[in-house]
């Protein structure tokens, strides 16, 4: 009998693990049916797209299923806000550590073998081959591809555990365009949003933050600006 797990790989730091959002839809681990991460390609797909993924990727039908629940944290005005968790940054934009919305997340995992086998993980991990367990653990621990991209864009202000000098800082061009940055009263130049703003260090543009798949966040103007201009560095204002 062929080893059904033969295509399961353990992601390395060179692999991009797409565990935040479906490749084809807006499904995420927070969606009702969670997200299925292929344990061979590390692409995430929503429930409705699992069959399509398997059709396009023969033999790659083993998934880590991630289901995430948002649990509001009661706000005690006497207590200093806790630092945003890495996970919260990935799904919420999280930089808004002092904002009104604060959550913790509970995640549940399973190994899903399309079309019909579900193995709760790690509860029934003992039934799995070693490399499948290692793959699941590595996917759970992996920095999401989304976060990697975010860090590449916003390197100088990253507030997480890893902080390094951006390669762009050495060669950053700053345009002499007479733009003055006021000390306060900022708003997005394109949509007038007043929070979650980013200052582009090349041209001084002030634009709003990323729009997240659950509809929260800004209107994505800073990121759009980056894709248009490729000006690589921005800092969070306020
Ligand atoms: Zn905007």
């Amino acid at each position: 009998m062929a080893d059904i797990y033969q295509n399961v790989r353990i992601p390395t730091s060179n692999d991009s693990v797409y565990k935040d959002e479906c490749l084809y839809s807006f499904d995420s681990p927070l969606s009702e049916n969670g997200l299925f991460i292929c344990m061979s390609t590390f692409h995430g797909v929503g429930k409705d797209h699992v069959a399509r993924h398997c059709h396009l990727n023969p033999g790659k039908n083993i998934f880590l299923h991630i289901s995430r629940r948002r649990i509001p944290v009661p706000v005690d005005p006497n207590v200093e806000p806790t630092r945003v968790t890495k996970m919260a940054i990935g799904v919420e934009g999280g930089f808004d550590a002092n904002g009104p919305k604060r959550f913790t997340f509970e995640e549940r995992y399973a190994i899903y073998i399309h079309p019909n086998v579900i193995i709760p993980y790690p509860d029934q991990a003992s039934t799995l081959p070693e490399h499948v367990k290692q793959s699941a653990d590595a996917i759970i621990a992996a920095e999401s591809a989304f976060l990697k991209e975010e860090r590449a864009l916003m390197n100088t202000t990253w507030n997480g555990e890893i902080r390094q000098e951006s390669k762009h800082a050495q060669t950053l061009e700053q345009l002499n365009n007479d733009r003055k940055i006021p000390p306060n009263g900022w708003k997005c130049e394109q949509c007038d949003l007043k929070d979650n703003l980013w200052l582009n260090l090349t041209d001084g543009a002030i634009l709003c933050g990323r729009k997240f798949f659950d509809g929260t966040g800004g209107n994505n103007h800073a990121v759009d600006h980056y894709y248009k201009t490729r000006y690589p560095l921005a800092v969070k204002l306020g």
Side-chain angles (χ1 to χ4, degrees), residues 9-218:
R9 292 200 300 124
I10 300 163
T12 70
S13 54
N14 292 326
D15 286 303
S16 292
V17 178
Y18 295 89
K19 60 180 188 177
D20 290 312
E21 200 172 17
C22 173
L23 279 191
Y24 309 111
S25 71
F26 290 110
D27 278 343
S28 79
L30 280 166
S31 302
E32 190 185 347
N33 295 306
L35 194 68
F36 297 79
I37 321 300
C38 172
M39 296 179 80
S40 304
T41 64
F42 314 120
H43 289 166
V45 287
K47 180 168 178 273
D48 294 344
H49 299 277
V50 167
R52 171 179 174 174
H53 172 90
C54 294
H55 178 71
L56 295 172
N57 300 275
K60 298 180 177 171
N61 64 328
I62 316 283
F63 298 85
L64 177 70
H65 180 241
I66 303 181
S67 162
R68 187 179 296 157
R69 226 158 49 88
R70 203 192 310 240
I71 302 165
V73 175
V75 178
D76 181 341
N78 300 315
V79 174
E80 196 64 11
T82 50
R83 197 163 68 86
V84 186
T85 66
K86 209 171 183 186
M87 192 188 295
I89 291 171
V91 296
E92 272 300 310
F95 298 107
D96 190 14
N98 300 310
K101 287 177 292 180
R102 257 181 285 148
F103 304 98
T104 58
F105 293 93
E106 180 187 273
E107 287 196 340
R108 289 171 193 271
Y109 310 107
I111 307 299
Y112 173 64
I113 304 169
H114 189 70
N116 53 16
V117 178
I118 297 170
I119 302 169
Y121 189 84
D123 307 21
Q124 293 178 29
S126 59
T127 64
L128 295 165
E130 197 56 35
H131 81 286
V132 175
K133 287 187 266 183
Q134 286 177 19
S135 173
D137 292 343
I139 291 171
I140 291 166
E143 183 179 17
S144 76
F146 171 88
L147 272 183
K148 276 189 184 171
E149 183 192 337
E150 183 93 347
R151 177 169 305 138
L153 289 178
M154 311 300 189
N155 213 342
T156 51
T157 57
W158 176 251
N159 207 14
E161 276 103 43
I162 305 168
R163 189 185 287 263
Q164 60 192 33
E165 186 179 350
S166 166
K167 65 176 195 265
H168 300 296
Q170 298 284 339
T171 54
L172 183 70
E173 186 189 357
Q174 295 196 284
L175 303 179
N176 190 2
N177 60 3
D178 285 336
R179 203 191 290 243
K180 302 272 186 293
I181 311 301
N184 50 41
W186 307 303
K187 60 182 179 146
C188 173
E189 293 171 8
Q190 289 180 27
C191 72
D192 292 349
L193 270 186
K194 293 197 173 59
D195 50 21
N196 189 18
L197 297 173
W198 295 81
L199 168 66
N200 190 291
L201 295 180
T202 299
D203 64 357
I206 295 175
L207 295 162
C208 64
R210 187 183 285 275
K211 187 179 207 74
F212 292 96
F213 40 78
D214 64 354
T216 63

